[in-house]
Amino acid sequence: MEKEVDAAVMAVINEKRLSGVKLTPVEIIAKMGVFDARSQSAASAWLASGDNVIVTLWAELVCIGADGRWFYLESLDSQRRIGGGTRSPAQVQRAKDRMQLLRQSLERGHAVRAVLQANRVDILAAESDKAAKVAVRVPDDQEWHVADWDADGKIAVLVRGERGWMPSAEDLAAARSKSGVPEAAPPAPAAPSSETDVQEAAMAYLMGHFAGYGYVPTDVRADAPGYDIEVRDKKGKVLIQLAVKGLGGPVRSFTLNPQERAAAGRGDPWRLVVVNDAGTPEVQHKIHKAAEVDGLPTLQKMS
């Protein structure tokens, strides 16, 4: 909430919002160069024109170092929310997308544009509260950059202004306490070690992913229709039929059986979905149309 925002940060926000035309959150990111901003409004990071990375920073979590420099602790734990609790599959994907863009800016040595956002609910509940509303959102005129990336500790440090400065250990400790950034989680369980385990992990991930968006996924493998998951909307309309191929551990390629080939030949709504790193925290998926399947490098051609 606004009362949790540092006075120096709030002064900049107030100056910015009172000095120009009032814009909606979508209009702000569109003006900053985000293409098709309306369809991407639920994200918290965007790739804008010129390969510029834009991120939303919760103003309540912007910290001020002892010498007046601003910094922000970024959790690199895609599975857990700040303040505690696990993320839904949709939230996990958004967190991974944000981390990927920040990592890209770091590797390329690019600056990051920030949108400062204050919320109308307690900051530690903001991410989990679907009804949470924004109190104010303004673009920051000063550039930020990723100053440190600790993959093992699951935390990155974003700094406002010139490079070459890092907050002190005392500043970082105070910021972690304020921000509620989770401590690094214990080592994850071993990745799946058999083809069956990889495929089951891929299925479980996708079932949770689509359910997290409010759809109704059904495992139809017992009927062998040429796909594994049928996804319907809440009214029962079939949206997509997915042939699932899990990759990870010992599984580096996949084949299509005759039923899958036949279903692919019938076209929509059949799709192939490849789940990479199934059964690990780095799991990701990509959906392909039937016409794209034969060009995939991980497809093992049948002799």
Side-chain angles (χ1 to χ4, degrees), residues 17-250:
R17 66 175 172 177
L18 295 175
S19 63
V21 178
K22 184 176 181 181
L23 300 175
T24 68
V26 171
E27 289 170 338
I28 288 173
I29 61 173
K31 190 174 181 179
M32 296 174 75
V34 176
F35 177 73
D36 196 13
R38 187 167 302 280
S39 68
Q40 301 187 63
S41 59
S44 62
W46 305 268
L47 185 62
S49 57
D51 285 342
N52 291 315
V53 172
I54 302 171
V55 296
T56 296
L57 300 182
W58 282 345
E60 295 92 332
L61 302 187
V62 174
C63 298
I64 311 293
D67 58 357
R69 292 290 299 270
W70 294 18
F71 68 98
Y72 189 93
L73 292 192
E74 178 77 21
S75 173
L76 301 181
D77 188 337
S78 63
Q79 305 297 315
R80 295 185 294 167
R81 301 193 304 265
I82 64 169
T86 58
R87 288 185 167 121
S88 69
Q91 290 171 334
V92 168
Q93 190 61 51
R94 284 195 290 269
K96 288 181 177 180
D97 292 342
R98 177 182 171 99
M99 288 161 50
Q100 182 177 359
L101 288 174
L102 286 171
R103 183 71 184 182
Q104 174 181 311
S105 73
L106 172 64
E107 292 173 348
R108 295 181 179 180
H110 289 178
V112 175
R113 293 293 311 280
V115 177
L116 301 172
Q117 173 178 316
N119 302 280
R120 292 183 180 176
V121 299
D122 187 286
I123 188 60
L124 297 184
E127 186 180 5
S128 59
D129 185 355
K130 294 182 179 180
K133 294 183 178 180
V134 176
V136 59
R137 180 184 285 174
V138 299
D140 189 358
D141 290 336
Q142 283 208 38
E143 292 182 339
W144 291 66
H145 62 275
V146 180
D148 187 52
W149 189 280
D150 182 358
D152 293 333
K154 296 290 186 182
I155 197 166
V157 180
L158 278 63
V159 170
R160 184 178 189 251
E162 296 179 358
R163 298 175 184 268
W165 177 86
M166 273 288 292
S168 67
E170 293 77 12
D171 287 338
L172 289 172
R176 183 182 281 275
S177 176
K178 174 183 178 179
S179 304
V181 172
E183 297 289 343
S193 58
S194 72
E195 184 174 352
T196 298
D197 289 343
V198 170
Q199 185 66 11
E200 290 303 317
M203 288 289 295
Y205 161 74
L206 287 172
M207 294 288 283
H209 173 79
F210 284 99
Y213 279 98
Y215 300 121
V216 182
T218 303
D219 184 338
V220 297
R221 287 179 292 178
D223 300 327
Y227 49 91
D228 304 294
I229 296 176
E230 188 168 73
V231 181
R232 297 175 179 264
D233 63 19
K234 292 182 179 179
K235 295 182 179 180
K237 179 183 177 181
V238 175
L239 301 176
I240 195 168
Q241 296 165 335
L242 298 170
V244 180
K245 301 298 176 181
L247 300 180

